[in-house]
Amino acid sequence: MDAQGGRRSQAERDAVTVEIGYALVSATFAAAVLFGAVAGPALLFDLPGLLSTVLLRLGLVVAPLVFTARVVSVLLRFRWPAQPAEPGRHSPDS
């Protein structure tokens, strides 16, 4: 049900599904790129033990934070347009 107590149309449900999918895919990509940038040198090069451990742990901490921030920002940016209170009635500026 939407905010006014009515039912959402199929197009509205599809839009929500696409937006959720976009949020998850783009967040996964962003987190993977950031993890690769931070922890990649530790995985590719023979770094000293402490530096390697710090980079891997930093990547493991930052990647989920970026994932969460991206999902939240995409879904909060996706807003429903205000609908008229009565069907068939439109606001003067529409």
Side-chain angles (χ1 to χ4, degrees):
M1 298 178 99
D2 66 10
Q4 284 78 25
R7 299 193 68 121
R8 288 190 176 148
S9 70
Q10 183 64 42
E12 290 171 327
R13 289 193 305 268
D14 290 346
V16 170
T17 302
V18 167
E19 198 66 23
I20 291 169
Y22 170 72
L24 292 173
V25 169
S26 67
T28 301
F29 180 76
V33 167
L34 187 69
F35 178 80
V38 173
L43 298 172
L44 293 174
F45 303 114
D46 188 24
L47 300 176
L50 180 62
L51 180 59
S52 179
T53 302
V54 168
L55 288 176
L56 284 172
R57 288 186 181 169
L58 184 62
L60 289 172
V61 168
V62 174
L65 294 176
V66 168
F67 178 87
T68 303
R70 178 67 181 160
V71 168
V72 168
S73 70
V74 168
L75 294 180
L76 287 180
R77 197 174 54 219
F78 182 70
R79 299 279 186 201
W80 290 107
Q83 294 183 356
E86 297 179 32
R89 306 276 298 189
H90 300 285
S91 61
D93 60 345
S94 64

